[in-house]
């Protein structure tokens, strides 16, 4: 159906998408997890109650969440150029993808950590655990299954966003679909892209679900 | 351990709840001290003030000579390592196995790894769960979870064990076995135990002293035996009545009703403790005062290890003889309650009397 050159292009695009999603998802977790933790522990009656810090972080996360991705991408171009030396291409796309995903991850983490039984946190406090020990040894391990599912949803969202980034010069499957499927009327390439995207999302979902299940000891 | 006029109020958006009002307690080393009260009385708040999980608005807390309420957060964490705590809902980490839960406090105390595992296994042996060490809490029964909780609380060799309703979500049989375990630990390790509960039964079984708390205030406190024999406060009386239920046959209730009207008959409740339970007091009354004794119902129980008997008897004879017998019994250390108003404690629906 496709000549080998086209197959190569499709595989290359898939690689680019995986690269964009993988790196931005990883970076978003690195930055989003601490923010999510801060959102929870500075809440009222939590281990480091601090209304001021809490409100500042709440506001920042809300602002981040409310900017549409397309606008964010364009708006931060100067920043992207500063970091990567360019504002187009796969690596450049990672910057807006990461920035868009950080507040999303922070909210996911917040929700997951809130589900941790306050009694368990209290037990750790009663044993003389420090706030840091409670975060590392109690909150995150207890929320692990839920955190894994949160990362899964983030990755799936990033697949979607990455196609948007691709459409304006970021490469990847979105770029492929626009250049071949749309501009060159290659319906078959469009279809192939869509099928690959569906499989990719399915794959991420199944993998995330399995990892979460493995970490779950609450009901076994 | 000493609490000096602890007060604590909670501010909510709309109101202010005073949870504790100038509560003072003194707990001697090695004692099992019970704190009993109805739901919302402030028991949990009180016990949480002991390790500063709840910071009192007022008052001082001393544990082992240190004023806990004056410590900075770092020093407080060190002191907390020497105060074990167990909870109604166990509060085990679901992501860790039983053994990992038990050694969690040892991790916090930065004990070397091989040492942790060794201690962990020994603690599990102490609570009888060595075969469950690799199970997860979700695979255990409530009683087993509480045993893990106890092992975990004992990990750092604490001097004090705080128990917030440790048996309230357990069935009666498991409750007894957990209480027995606490009692054993108290004896073998010389641990001071604070036991929060709403069940008089638990107090009776293992506590040396008790404080009754209502609406944030201690309304009565003292040795368990004294409080049981002669409770002062209405709440205490109600709780004691509710806990020692004796089934009285229907005919006993009829007698109760009849003798309440007659002047030559008097129903009394006799409570015997310790040695007085063993004396032949009943027969000597009949002989010396010419009073007939009709035993309506009786029950012998144990308060901790002290035998404790409750007996409902009808005395009949001339009123002087009855009075003398009551005096005589009291002189022997038997607690005598003259029962004039039976409606107080007879519940007709189930045909039983709450003594
Ligand atoms: N964090 C809180 N915020 C507001 N009010 C509280 C808080 N904790 C406790 N209270 C209030 O303080 C009072 C005492 O509560 P506490 O939990 O100490 O009672 P308790 O005797 O332990 O009851 P229970 O047997 O139900 O556990 C209650 O009126 C409760 O509503
Ligand atoms: Mg309570």
């Amino acid at each position: 159906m496709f000549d080998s050159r086209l197959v190569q292009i499709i595989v290359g695009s898939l690689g680019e998408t995986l690269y964009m999603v993988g790196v931005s998802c990883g970076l978003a977790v690195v930055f989003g997890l601490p923010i999510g933790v801060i959102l929870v522990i500075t809440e009222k009656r939590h281990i480091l109650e601090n209304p001021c810090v809490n409100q500042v972080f709440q506001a920042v996360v809300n602002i981040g969440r409310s900017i549409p991705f397309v606008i964010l991408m364009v708006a931060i171009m100067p920043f992207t150029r500063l970091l990567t030396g360019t504002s187009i291409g796969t690596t450049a796309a990672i910057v807006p993808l990461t920035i868009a995903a950080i507040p999303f991850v922070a909210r996911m983490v917040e929700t997951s950590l809130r589900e941790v039984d306050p009694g368990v946190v209290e037990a750790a406090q009663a044993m003389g655990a420090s706030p840091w020990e409670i975060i590392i040894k109690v909150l995150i391990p207890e929320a692990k299954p839920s955190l894994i599912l949160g990362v899964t949803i983030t990755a799936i969202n990033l697949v979607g966003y990455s196609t948007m980034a691709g459409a304006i010069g970021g490469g990847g499957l979105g770029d492929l679909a626009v250049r071949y499927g749309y501009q060159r009327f290659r319906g078959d390439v469009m279809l192939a892209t869509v099928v690959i995207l569906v499989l990719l999302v399915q794959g991420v979902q199944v993998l995330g679900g399995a990892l979460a299940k493995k970490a779950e000891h609450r009901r076994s | 351990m000493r609490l000096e006029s602890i007060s604590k109020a909670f501010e909510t958006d709309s109101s202010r709840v005073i949870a504790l009002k100038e509560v003072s307690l003194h707990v001697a080393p090695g004692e099992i001290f019970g704190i009993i009260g109805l739901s919302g009385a402030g028991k949990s708040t009180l016990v949480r003030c002991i390790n500063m999980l709840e910071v009192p608005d007022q008052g001082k807390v001393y544990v082992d000579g240190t004023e806990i309420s004056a410590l900075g957060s770092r020093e407080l964490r060190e002191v907390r390592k020497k105060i074990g705590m167990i909870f109604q809902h166990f509060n085990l980490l679901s992501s860790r196995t039983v053994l990992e839960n038990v050694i969690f406090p040892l991790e916090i105390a930065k004990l070397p790894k091989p040492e942790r595992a060794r201690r962990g296994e020994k603690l599990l042996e102490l609570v009888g769960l060595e075969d469950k060490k690799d199970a997860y809490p979700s695979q255990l029964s409530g009683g087993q979870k509480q045993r893990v909780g106890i092992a975990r609380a004992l990990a750092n060799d604490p001097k004090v064990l705080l128990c917030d309703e440790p048996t309230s979500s357990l069935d009666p049989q498991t409750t007894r076995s957990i209480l027995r375990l606490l009692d054993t630990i108290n004896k073998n390790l010389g641990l001071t135990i604070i036991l929060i509960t709403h069940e008089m039964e638990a107090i009776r079984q293992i506590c040396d002293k008790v404080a009754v708390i209502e609406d944030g205030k201690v309304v009565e406190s003292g040795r368990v035996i004294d409080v049981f024999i002669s409770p002062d406060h209405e709440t205490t009386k109600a709780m004691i009545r509710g806990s020692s239920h004796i089934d009285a046959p229907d005919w006993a209730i009829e007698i109760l009703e009849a003798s309440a009207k007659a002047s030559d008959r008097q129903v009394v409740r006799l409570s015997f403790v310790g040695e007085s339970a063993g004396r032949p007091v009943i027969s000597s009354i009949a002989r010396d005062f010419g009073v007939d004794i009709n035993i309506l119902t009786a029950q012998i129980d144990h308060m901790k290890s002290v035998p404790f008997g409750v007996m409902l008897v009808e005395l009949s004879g001339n009123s002087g003889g009855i009075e003398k017998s009551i005096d005589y019994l009291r002189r022997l250390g038997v607690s005598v309650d003259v029962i004039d108003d039976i409606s107080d404690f007879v519940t007709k629906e189930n045909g039983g009397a709450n003594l």
Side-chain angles (χ1 to χ4, degrees), chain A residues 45, chain B residues 8-12 15-20 36-48 54 88 164-165 168 196-198 213 216:
Chain A
R45 294 193 70 82
Chain B
K8 173 83 191 174
F10 291 105
E11 314 271 353
T12 51
S15 65
R16 185 181 152 89
V17 182
I18 298 173
L20 295 174
I36 188 165
L38 302 173
S39 190
K43 309 182 291 292
S44 296
T45 311
L46 180 61
V47 78
R48 290 158 52 84
E54 209 75 76
Q88 177 177 0
D164 190 359
E165 306 214 27
S168 292
I196 304 282
T197 181
H198 61 255
I213 164 165

Side-chain angles (χ1 to χ4, degrees), chain A residues 118-165:
Chain A
V120 176
V121 175
E122 193 173 294
Q125 276 180 300
M127 285 173 216
S130 65
W132 175 249
E133 286 168 323
I134 291 174
I135 295 165
I136 296 299
K137 290 176 185 286
V138 179
L139 285 177
I140 293 177
E142 286 292 290
K144 202 162 139 202
S146 163
L147 287 171
I148 291 171
L149 289 178
V151 173
T152 306
I153 296 171
T154 308
I156 289 170
N157 272 332
L158 280 170
V159 170
Y161 283 169
S162 79
T163 60
M164 257 191 265

Side-chain angles (χ1 to χ4, degrees), chain B residues 255-267 314-317 319 322 340:
Chain B
I255 291 177
L256 270 166
E257 282 168 339
S259 74
K261 297 182 193 102
S263 64
D264 58 344
R265 294 160 78 184
Q266 177 65 58
V267 174
E314 185 193 39
L315 308 173
S316 53
S319 55
I322 291 177
D340 288 320

Side-chain angles (χ1 to χ4, degrees), chain A residues 78-110:
Chain A
F79 179 65
T80 306
R81 205 172 297 127
L82 193 77
L83 280 185
T84 64
T86 171
S87 57
I88 48 166
T90 316
T91 303
I94 288 173
V95 178
L97 283 174
T98 305
I99 290 179
I102 288 171
F104 187 79
V105 170
R107 279 275 178 257
M108 288 285 189
V109 170
E110 185 192 11

